[in-house]
Amino acid sequence: MPRGLPRTALIGAAGALAAFALFFGDGSTYPPLVWIGGLAVLAAAVGVALVLLGVLEFPKLDGFGVAFLALLGWFVLWNGLSIVWSLQPDRSWEYFNRGTVYFAFALLGVLVGAASTRSVRAVALGLLGLFGAVLLWALLGKVIPNLVPDGERIARLREPLDYWNALALVGAMTLPLALWAAVRREHPWLLRVGSVVLAFAALVVVLLTYSRGGVVVALLAPAAYIALTRKRVEAAAALAVAVVPAALLCLWAFRQPGLVDDGQPYDVRLREGLWFAIGLLLAGAVVAGVAFLGVTHEDRWRSRVSVRFSRRQLAALVAVPAALVVLLFLVADPIDRARDSYREFTNPVTSAGTGPERLRDFGSNSRWTWWGEAWQLWEDNPVAGTGAGTFSLARRPLRTNTTVATEPHNLALQFLSETGLIGFLLAAGAGVAAAFGIVRALRRLDDAEAAAGLPLAVLALAYLAHAVIDYDWDFVGVSAPLFLVLGVLVAAGRPAIEAVREPFFAAGAVVLGVAVLGSLASPWLASRSVADAYAALERRDPNGAVDRAGRARTLNPLAVEPLFAEAVAEEARGNEGEALELYIRAVELQPENSRTWFELGRFELDAGLREWGIRHLLRSRELDRWGPSDPVLGRLGI
């Protein structure tokens, strides 16, 4: 087999998987992770097997690269180990599976980084194209609302990632890549001009998500790139060409009810969407025209611009307008204004709304409350945490309202509360090792590769900054490309390890990949069996429901949903003793889950076991004051 063929296949597979994650990740839901992650795991396993057969090369990583992979792997294993003490072991299993998928993407990135001497540039261009396709699809959803799910009703941009903040993060990560592609003279003029237009589109998308965190990161990411690149003036000029038309277009769009209000009739949404398309094309044409003039007359305007900004000068230029904005904000009464903003941010009941007006709002949308809850959970479980993925359940005894939160919307607090200090240090260590590995990579690569690596490094910084205010770990659409990039950067430019031929270990790598695929699929298959059980009950087939629920219990013995489904089926068959035993098993499996106590107490009340039912409903209310047991007890006068 020609050596170039498996390398090309590897790079193509990595690109396809990144595309799948971006377009079909379906937000933070688990089912897409099964097939996207399964393909990534199998691709990584096959890649390692080909290395062990001497077909592919594996880079001789430096200490930081080894530490990155090792600490990331240990963090994933620690997530899996937390199943032992987890409040919700089935969720911890799913988070272990999610971590294995991200590790597989990182390993794929390492293999891609070793596959070509131009791997960094190829990945940068590939991600630029993928991000551009994502942004184009998002804008098409604004023009023709019924192209995207629920687009007829919801105006705020969120597809194809199914979450506006994740889409805004993709827009922010696009900006440094677009600026890099626009300022490199070796790139074709069409790519350079198109990249400026893409930067314009990214800014429009970010603003139309109304994501305040996304806007902040979209300001920080290009600023960081401009500060770090040698082509500061060119990058700043390209950004300026994109910013002004994007801002003007969005200011107009914010005043069109059909573009920003959820309750508008579809014909209004479509009509104003078409007007938006005209404005988008006109503004894009202006951006393209100015960019074309800049690219084709670069030498002429370069000779007229004699100033060359140092990093300190650039910082001063950025600091002056920033200081003016702060002064304008504080001019009325700095102390009162700052105090009001702080109160607004920390108020647990304020909501920023769903329209563009939220961009002026300082409310945290309950984040401050969730951060406090996560910190308290960590203080109560400082070493090992409550179990990976358990924040939603663990916070219920602490919550003071009915607000639901999957995660605390802060990656550091998420890892601290769920995996404890050990998990946090492992994850932080992996991040620090990756950072040092990237710095070394940018120093050892040649000029073209290092120039391509810089926006990829800034992309990682953008993810980290956004993770301070959101739960990006749960979104394969943004996390999978990140780990692919990290793997590429720590491996790029490293010499290859001497080829080895170990067929036995190669087979073991494939077997391990299949085993991980089984771990990924089991919770999903169990959920499908639970759904089939309830469908059988609707068909009045309790025997079939018991069989399907039993299959779900076999596939996922850590979950309580199969026990509930089987208990309901046994009730339908008239076997109240069997149903009671199943509800008791659910409580024993997850004794800190208020729902297990509620289902047991509800059944006991219906079965005439009033004293036991009330006792168990009271325990459910202790675990969740705002849960379903409270209204039941209220009707009983308790």
Side-chain angles (χ1 to χ4, degrees), residues 264-329:
Q264 294 295 317
Y266 183 75
D267 59 334
V268 176
R269 297 282 307 280
L270 180 60
R271 182 176 64 252
E272 295 193 2
L274 294 175
W275 280 111
F276 172 75
I278 295 173
L280 186 68
L281 291 173
L282 290 175
V286 171
V287 172
V290 175
F292 176 77
L293 291 175
V295 169
T296 55
H297 297 80
E298 184 174 6
D299 291 333
R300 181 181 302 176
W301 70 258
R302 182 190 294 273
S303 64
R304 295 180 179 179
V305 180
S306 59
V307 63
R308 291 294 182 266
F309 294 110
S310 68
R311 292 179 185 176
R312 290 184 180 179
Q313 291 170 326
L314 182 69
L317 288 174
V318 174
V320 169
L324 289 175
V325 171
V326 173
L327 287 174
L328 287 173
F329 172 70

Side-chain angles (χ1 to χ4, degrees), residues 365-366 370 373 391-393 395-396 399 401-407 409 471 624 626:
N365 270 15
S366 299
W370 298 334
E373 292 169 348
F391 176 77
S392 179
L393 176 64
R395 68 176 288 265
R396 300 208 171 196
R399 68 174 179 167
N401 53 43
T402 58
T403 303
V404 176
T406 304
E407 294 294 351
H409 289 63
Y471 61 121
D624 186 3
W626 302 92

Side-chain angles (χ1 to χ4, degrees), residues 48-102:
V48 171
L50 292 176
V51 168
L52 293 171
L53 292 175
V55 177
L56 287 177
E57 295 176 340
F58 196 85
K60 187 177 182 180
L61 299 174
D62 60 14
F64 292 118
V66 172
F68 164 64
L69 286 181
L71 290 171
L72 178 61
W74 278 110
F75 174 70
V76 173
L77 291 175
W78 182 254
N79 276 254
L81 185 61
S82 72
I83 291 172
V84 176
W85 62 83
S86 175
L87 302 182
Q88 202 172 5
D90 55 326
R91 284 281 292 171
S92 298
W93 185 10
E94 291 183 3
Y95 269 65
F96 164 73
N97 289 336
R98 187 175 294 276
T100 60
V101 170
Y102 297 155

